[in-house]
Each structure stands twice: as structure tokens, then as C-alpha cells.
Amino acid sequence: MAAAFTSFYFLLCSCLALISLARAEDTDQFIYNGFGGANLHLDGNAKIHHNGLLQLTNTSKQLVGHAFYPSPIKFNTSSPSSARSLSFSTNFVIAMVPEWKDTSGHGIVFVISPSMDFSHAVESQYLGLFNATNNGNSSNHIFAVEFDTILSPEFEDRNNNHVGIDVNGLKSIQSEPAAYFSNEERKNRSLKLISGHPIQVWVDYNDEEKLLNVTLAPKRSPKPDQPLLSTSVDLSDILLDTMYVGFSAATGSIASNHYLLGWSFNRRGQAQSLEISELPKLPKVGRRIKPDRLILIIAAGFLLVIITGATYFYRRKKYEEVNEDWEQEYGPQRFSYKTLYKATQGFRDKQLVGAGGFGKVYKGTLPSSKEQIAVKKVSHESNQGMKEFVSEIVSMGRLRHKNLVPLLGYCRRKKELLLVYDYMPNGSLDQFLFDNDHPNLNWSQRFQIIRGVASALRYLHEEWEQVVLHRDVKASNVLLDSNLNGRLGDFGLARFYDRDAGPQTTRLVGTLGYLDPEITRTGKATKSSDVFAFGAFLLEVACGRKPIDPHRPREEIFLVELVNRCWKRGIILDASDPRLQGNYVVEEMVKVLKLGLLCSNPRPGRRPTIKEVVQYLDGNASLPDIPLDRAENNPSFVLETLTRDSAETNLSVANNLASDCIISFSTFLGRGSLNSFSSTDTVLHVGR
Ligand SMILES: *[C@@H]1O[C@H](CO)[C@@H](O)[C@H](O)[C@H]1NC(C)=O
Ligand SMILES: *[C@@H]1O[C@H](CO)[C@@H](O)[C@H](O)[C@H]1NC(C)=O
Ligand SMILES: *[C@@H]1O[C@H](CO)[C@@H](O)[C@H](O)[C@H]1NC(C)=O
Ligand SMILES: *[C@@H]1O[C@H](CO)[C@@H](O)[C@H](O)[C@H]1NC(C)=O
Ligand SMILES: *[C@@H]1O[C@H](CO)[C@@H](O)[C@H](O)[C@H]1NC(C)=O
Ligand SMILES: *[C@@H]1O[C@H](CO)[C@@H](O)[C@H](O)[C@H]1NC(C)=O
């Protein structure tokens, strides 16, 4: 009994083995009426639903999905051509169910490929088959039939609903708008690939005729008598001895559900017809609407339209820019407001990193490159001179010096100019000098910064195509990069304010304490007025305090006066920053303090040029003597000049701020108080 059972068992096993052996050899023919339990090679987003529906992608963006028959197909290309045939026939049913009606991407392809590894392939228009490098390369050995729902001009697609035959790349050797031949009507009828309805496809290749036919039809129609595409193609150059057959689908920025319902394949004759009634059903989308609900839905739709419209106009307003014809040539330097808005998270206060005389500065990250930027928002009243200014700003974008903050570009809105700079992680120098929360800079760092700023200023004055005046040199306009190198920012911006003034007024732009008294006479900035400001900057870095500090006793309010007094008494080092605790190179400190005094000379002719300043700092020339003129380096003299000249030319003070300045100066001269002048960041405007 046991022996009988054993022999029966043995027989059963042999039979099973035989069957599976037959199966393994039988790889030139298969049929799937639905994919329930099918052992396909799937990757990417591809999956098989419980009902046997194969889904290659869902409606998420930038997806790929592949499904391959797991065993290779022998094409016998190495056999002599008389003894082999490359013919094949396949029949399948696809469905593309778009996320939104009438927009869908990108498509499905039937593919014959030497490998199932598409890990290097890209989604969107590359359909999960190729990438920009290998597209079109004859070493790919890939044959495909694409069902493409997006028009990709780079591949010379004819429309957004076409079927194409692809050899090694996505530029189809032949393609036609999707259509089928109706056997009953004896005419062609167009077919919409993204209708959401299943479409049956036949691909037949006859190796003797070297003819490839692709035929489409709605799911329940019989095979049309005429194919959509009948293309001469010799596959012997393309197919290798063993190949894999399968499907790829991809989505892009718009997406579609890509499905496969059934598939048959045959190397020895016509592919078996699919059992249409057995094919899995697509998931239901949309429901029928009861009439009483219809009104509600129409009302909701109406509301939606209003909200969408309002949102649209709100967004347009939100991102509205000013962009005139003459700006075309600055295209590459132009940033869209939307980009900057996103980069700075909507100019949130959290992103604010500074606010100076010219406007607020926001930190941001460019959405595309993740590059960190600083965006300066400069407000302006009129459009006058904007063209010249923008052209100047853009040409300044070409300024390249390791001690300048690179200007990346700009954007323009109504009453607002936005300048985009490289982000400087360490912020501005004044914080290190005056803010006890920041670490102290040692002398060698400070000296390095001074030399860097001097060389940047020399570049602006002497070394570029045209002279660029900075007009607002001061510690708060010197930014520190990640290596604590000083970089001069805000160059040329002061000019903007000049231009913005009406024809009757001249505005003096600069910051009190750094502002050349000569400017108050002539109204004109010069190279020499930049040197004056640089002098104030030198003293500020060496002494660790601002040029004007109204909170100090009368004789210490003006830094230059204090340093001058120390120098005359032969104790110039007493003026150095106490936070340095005497840790500095004495010669360098003396040189910087003296140079500060030289540059602060109220008479422009007696100040050194920036070229000379650099030579002194580099030790390539020795400092000249400082003239012992009583009036010079005396800020009271400077202020008297300012007020006296105002009176002489009978200036009417056009601007509240200006009147504030002058009144407080006068008050200060008479009574020794300067309370309304605590901010050294103020821009001085004087009307004429
Ligand atoms: C698409 O499939 C992926 C992976 O299964 C899933 O994370 C994602 O949520 C799906 N998207 C949609 C729209 O269903
Ligand atoms: C391919 O070659 C193998 C053996 O070399 C043979 O068994 C098979 O029938 C051939 N297939 C076709 C389609 O010619
Ligand atoms: C493109 O795909 C090929 C493999 O087919 C791969 O070697 C190459 O690195 C890919 N190129 C890119 C840019 O991904
Ligand atoms: C095609 O691909 C091969 C192998 O990847 C490479 O060596 C060759 O340079 C490519 N040809 C072209 C024209 O890119
Ligand atoms: C149908 O379309 C195909 C492909 O465009 C074309 O070759 C054929 O002549 C058309 N047939 C009719 C009856 O218009
Ligand atoms: C391809 O289509 C042409 C024209 O209808 C037909 O003559 C030919 O037999 C077809 N070939 C195959 C392999 O179906």
C-alpha cells in the first residue's frame, strides 16, 4: 500500500516536473487575461491590484513604472538569417485615466530591451526608457512603440495624442495621431488615448516583409482590417539574441493613471486574442449625479469659480512686477518676484537679517539651486532714471573682486527695487565691532578686513572699466564671508537716491560721520569723498567705536577729534580699541590710526588717493606727515562749514530729516547736546 502510494507520488511529481519544464521552454508565447498571480518583473510605481489590474503609475508626479515578462525571449539573431525568424506578434489592452480631464502625462510604451534595468532612465518625456545622454544611441538596442499624450517638441512629436515607433530613442521613426479603422464604417476614426477607456493594441512584425504594423481599437471592437502604422523597419540591427519584453509608463508635472489590463505575446505566429470579458475592471471614477443635488453642485461650482478667480487675481497682484521693454537685454540678471517671494518665505520677518539706510535685507534660499541669497528691498518714489540705474546695477553685477559682495541680479516692482546678492553668513562688520553679543575680532583679522576693503575700493575707483563711487563706505556696509574676509556691499546704491530726487533738490547721501563736508558745498560725490568715508571706517575698526557717539562726554563725541588729540599729545595708541587689550602689532595700529586721520582731512586735495592708501597698508610706501592745522580734523569746523554754507546759499530745508540734522547740529554747537542724533545709520538729505 505504502509502495503503491510512493509510486503514485513519484508519478505525480514527474508529471508536474514535465509540465513546468514545458513551461520554462515555452517562453516564446504567453497570455495574461488579467495579471492576477502573474510573476512579472515590476519596478518603480508598478503594482498588480487584487482584481488582476496592472497599474504602472498612479497620478503622483514624476513617476516611472515598469512591468516585464520575467524570462528573456530568444530572438536567435546569431543564427543564420535563413534559419531564423525575428517575427513576433503581441496584443494588449492599455488604459490611461488622467488626473484632470484633458490633461495627462506622459504615456505608456511597449518595449523590447536587452535588459530590465531602467534605473538610469528618466520620467516625463523620457517615458522611463531613456535619459538625455543615451537617448538615440544605437548601442541601446531598444525597440518601442509609444502611446504618448504630451507633445515634446525636442522629439519632434506631432501632437499630444500619438502613437510612434521608436528605435533606440524617443524621436519616432514614424508616428500617427491615435486613430483606428472602423471595419463597419470603412473609415478611420480618431481615438483619444486619455479618454480613460481601455484601448486594445496589436503590434505585429513580419521578418520576411520587414514590416511592422501597429493597430489600435476600442476595447470591444474587433481587430481593424487596416493598421494605424505599417512601417518598414529591419529589426535585425536592433534585436539581440535574448531580449526582454514589457512596458514602461511615466508621469511628469501632470500625471495619469497608466494601466495594463491584459497581454498576449507570440514568437511563432499571431498572438492569441485576449478574452475581453475576463479582463479586470478599472477603478470607478466619478458617479452619476441625482437631479436634486445638481443645483447644489452648480452653486458650489459657481462659488469655486469665484474663489479661484479671486485667488488668481490675488496671486497676480501678489507676484506683480514691473518689466519694461528695455529690460529685455537684462533677462539673465532678472529674477522673478515669485522666485524671490518663495526664496524668502514671503519676506517673512523671520528672514530679516538687516535694515540699513537703503532698505530691509532678507535672507533666502533659491528654490531651484538651494543657493543662499540676500535680497535687499529698496523703495523708491518715481520711475525717473530707473533705466540708467538698472543698467548701472546690471553692469555692476559684472564687478568681480574677492572683497566685493557679488550682485546676482535684480527684480522690479511698483515703487520697489529688489537686489539679489550672495548671502554672507557672518553678517556685517559693525556687529562684531559694537555688539557685545558677537565675538571680538583680533587685530590680525581686523587688519585683514581693512586691507580687503581698501583693495575693493581701489578696484572700484581705478581698476574697472569706469569709475564706480561707493558713496557709503562704513563698517555696516562691510560684510564678512565664511572665512571672515571683509566684503564691501551696497556699492553704487547711493546714486539711486540721487536720481530719485526731484530737479529742485539735491540730496546729500551718505551717513553722518562718514560724509565728506565738501559734499555739502558742491553736492557732488567724488573719489575723494569715498576716501574720507574710508578714513572714518579705519578709525572705527581700530578704535572699536562709531565716528559719532552722542552718549559720550562732549570732547569724545567725535572719534576723529579724539584720535587727533591723542596723536598731538603723542599717545595715539590710547585711542585703540580697549577690547584688544593691547594685543596688536604696534606699527600697524599706528599706521591705521594715522591713515584714518589723513583720509579724514576736510580738504579733499590733502587726502591720499585709494591707490596710495593701499600702498601704505601693504607697506610699499611710508606715510606722509599729518599737517598740524588747527582747523583740520576738527568736526566742529566741519559742522560750522555745513551750517554756514547753508546760510550763505540761502538753503531752504526741504526735508524734515534734514532740518532735524541741521537743527540738532546747531543746537549741539550752542548747548552741547546731540540727542536727536543717536543713529549713525541715518541718510542725510539736504534740500537746495
Ligand atoms: C502613488 O503611489 C505611491 C507609491 O505607492 C504613493 O506613495 C502615492 O501616494 C500614490 N499617489 C497617489 C496620488 O495615489
Ligand atoms: C531559436 O533557436 C533555438 C535553438 O538554437 C531553437 O530551438 C528555436 O526554435 C529557435 N527559435 C526560433 C523562433 O527560430
Ligand atoms: C543614462 O543611462 C545610461 C545607461 O543606459 C547611464 O550609463 C548614464 O549614466 C545615464 N546618464 C545620466 C545622465 O543619468
Ligand atoms: C553610445 O553609447 C556608448 C556606450 O554607452 C558610448 O560609448 C558612445 O559614446 C555613445 N555614443 C554617442 C554618440 O553618444
Ligand atoms: C486611415 O489612416 C491610415 C494612417 O493614417 C492611412 O494610411 C489610411 O489611408 C486611412 N484610411 C482611410 C480609409 O482613410
Ligand atoms: C501589415 O499591414 C499590411 C497592410 O494592411 C498587410 O498587408 C500586412 O500583411 C500586415 N502585416 C502583418 C505582419 O500584420
Side-chain angles (χ1 to χ4, degrees), residues 433-434 450 473-475 511-516 529-548 559-560 563 592-593 595-601 607:
L433 292 177
F434 312 132
I450 288 173
V473 178
K474 57 181 174 182
T511 305
L512 205 63
Y514 306 82
L515 189 64
D516 180 1
S529 57
D530 270 358
V531 170
F532 184 88
F534 183 74
F537 165 75
L538 285 178
L539 297 182
E540 155 175 65
V541 178
C543 308
R545 52 156 286 195
K546 297 187 181 183
I548 298 179
L559 177 58
V560 63
V563 177
V592 168
L593 290 169
L595 196 53
L597 291 178
L598 279 169
C599 295
S600 303
N601 194 309
R607 295 173 205 152

Side-chain angles (χ1 to χ4, degrees), residues 130 133-142 167-169:
F130 300 104
T133 329
N134 68 5
N135 182 40
N137 189 323
S138 60
S139 69
N140 289 334
H141 292 283
I142 288 178
V167 170
N168 293 323

Side-chain angles (χ1 to χ4, degrees), residues 44-45 47 55 57-61 63 99 257:
N45 197 234
K47 65 169 185 174
Q55 179 165 21
T57 76
N58 60 25
T59 54
S60 289
K61 312 216 178 313
L63 290 180
E99 181 179 19
N257 292 294

